[in-house]
């Protein structure tokens, strides 16, 4: 499919997508789930990741899954759920059988993105973009990350009672990615609006509101496409200090097309923004609720990297990813049938009591190296180091300049089943005595 086809396809897909999802779910529940139960061995569950209340606070449900069998099946949603760390990792590693091409979030939106491409083509695409993620390439963004963290923490300090999500956790990754992609300062507001609309495409609700938001996502994608098409037409990317410029320089043979560049830029927006926003939101939530832990970090900055890993495990900014079974897939005594939609529940895996002692407890020095917040296997997150640089920079600024973090009232959590984090959080930072 060419890019033009893809964009046209996006414009026409909202209604059929909703209809297909509705018809598909009903047909498979009526026609198939009774026989499944008799031979697959999976445990039937009413755990529903799409219930907004469960999505906002899923941990009790995860404890229920861990107390049961290795595979659960929700007949109403027609999904098969893996929740133990070893099984979720094995599922992510079994990319030949559990494939990503039908989309990795709730919506079965198959765009030609790295994350929804499988097999040989995925290896090729990943090889093309790797030069932008080498240690040296990522290091070059460090001064900008440090500068952004210092500026944004300063702004929150100066605005007691502000919404820290709007002031810091959204702008931090958004401004970084915009700079990485070479978006000029004058275009940043528009760029932010498009990016926010784009992320909504990951969660298609079968409701009037859901379809409206899908339509606005599609408009956002179209606007971003138009924007980059103009940038490519003007030229000047090659040799520039942007991530796209770096990729073009590495591919002197011209093996990366404009289409691929666009979809890569688009993936960075989709994969790198809300995920990091969620992690940073978790950081504020945790250290406001646990001032004594924040004091430990203030007293010993060497704890910062470990604290960030524990935040990744504890909050799991990506709660789950979907795969489709190409053939029957065996987990212990259970056979997940070919064609099944399988949820790799990362949020539950990161709180697996068989792996993490007292998993619902945040331990700043736990150093949970086995967590899989960034996925596992062929699609392991390319932005993991970048995220760590961002989160560590923000925490360092907080630990240096702030005595205490206060969250006023109850933060509001997202109800998106894939991406979980605070969407509104009124906060007040108390400046450290030494620098008041
Ligand atoms: C807290 C922050 C982040 C989290 C929790 C996160 C999580 C993940 C996860 C779980 C995957 C695996 C998807 C799958 O297996 O289907 C993934 C893939 C990916 N992530 Fe991240 N991510 C984060 C930040 C970023 C950032 C900042 C970038 C880039 C700027 C990025 C770029 C990517 C890309 C390109 C992929 C696709 C890799 C592939 O398919 O080969 N991510 N991420």
């Amino acid at each position: 499919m060419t890019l033009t086809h893809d964009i046209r396809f996006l414009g026409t897909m909202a209604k059929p997508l909703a209809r297909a999802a509705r018809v598909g779910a009903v047909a498979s529940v009526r026609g198939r789930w009774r026989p499944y139960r008799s031979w697959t061995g999976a445990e039937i569950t009413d755990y529903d990741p799409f219930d907004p209340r469960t999505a906002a606070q899923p941990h009790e449900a995860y404890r229920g899954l861990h107390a049961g069998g290795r595979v659960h099946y929700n007949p109403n949603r027609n999904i098969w759920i893996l929740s133990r760390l070893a099984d979720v990792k094995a599922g992510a590693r079994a990319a030949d059988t559990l494939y990503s091409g039908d989309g990795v979030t709730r919506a079965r939106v198959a765009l030609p993105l790295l994350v929804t491409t499988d097999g040989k083509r995925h290896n090729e695409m990943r090889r093309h973009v790797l030069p932008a993620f080498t240690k040296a390439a990522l290091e070059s963004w460090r001064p900008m990350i440090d500068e952004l963290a210092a500026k944004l923490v300063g702004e929150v300090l100066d605005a007691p009672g502000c919404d820290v999500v709007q002031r810091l956790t959204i702008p931090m990754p958004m401004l970084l990615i915009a700079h990485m992609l070479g978006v000029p300062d004058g275009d940043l507001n528009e760029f932010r609006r498009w990016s926010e609309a784009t992320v909504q495409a990951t969660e298609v609700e079968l409701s009037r509101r859901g379809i409206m938001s899908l339509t606005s996502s599609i408009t956002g994608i179209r606007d971003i496409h138009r924007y980059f098409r103009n940038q490519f037409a003007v030229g000047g990317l090659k040799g520039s200090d942007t991530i796209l410029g770096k990729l073009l320089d590495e591919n002197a043979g011209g093996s990366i097309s404009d289409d691929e560049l666009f979809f890569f830029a688009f993936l960075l927006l989709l994969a790198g923004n809300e995920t990091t926003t969620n992690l940073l939101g978790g950081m504020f939530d945790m250290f406001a609720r646990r001032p004594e832990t924040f004091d430990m970090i203030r007293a010993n900055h060497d704890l910062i990297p470990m604290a960030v890993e524990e935040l990744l495990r504890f909050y799991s900014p990506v709660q789950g990813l979907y795969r489709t079974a190409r053939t029957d897939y065996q987990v212990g005594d259970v056979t997940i049938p070919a064609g099944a939609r399988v949820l790799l529940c990362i949020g539950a895996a990161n709180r697996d009591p068989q792996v993490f002692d007292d998993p619902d407890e945040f331990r700043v020095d736990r150093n949970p190296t086995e967590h899989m917040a960034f996925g596992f296997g062929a699609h392991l997150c390319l932005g993991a180091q970048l995220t760590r640089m961002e989160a560590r920079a923000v925490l360092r600024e907080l630990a240096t300049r702030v005595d205490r973090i206060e969250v006023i009232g109850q933060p509001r959590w997202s109800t998106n089943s894939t991406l979980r984090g605070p969407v509104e959080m009124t906060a007040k930072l108390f400046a450290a005595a030494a620098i008041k």
Side-chain angles (χ1 to χ4, degrees), residues 97-116:
T97 313
L98 299 182
Y99 68 92
S100 302
D102 277 353
V104 296
T105 61
R106 177 184 189 181
R108 290 200 190 207
V109 181
L111 289 173
L113 299 174
L114 180 68
V115 74
T116 49

Side-chain angles (χ1 to χ4, degrees), residues 275-308:
T275 47
T276 311
T277 292
N278 290 345
L279 177 67
L280 297 175
M283 182 186 289
F284 279 86
D285 178 62
M286 177 54 65
F287 298 131
R289 287 195 292 114
R290 296 267 299 259
E292 70 290 352
T293 309
F294 185 54
D295 286 345
M296 283 170 68
I297 298 170
R298 292 200 313 120
N300 178 8
H301 287 201
D302 290 347
L303 286 173
I304 289 173
M306 269 193 275
V308 168

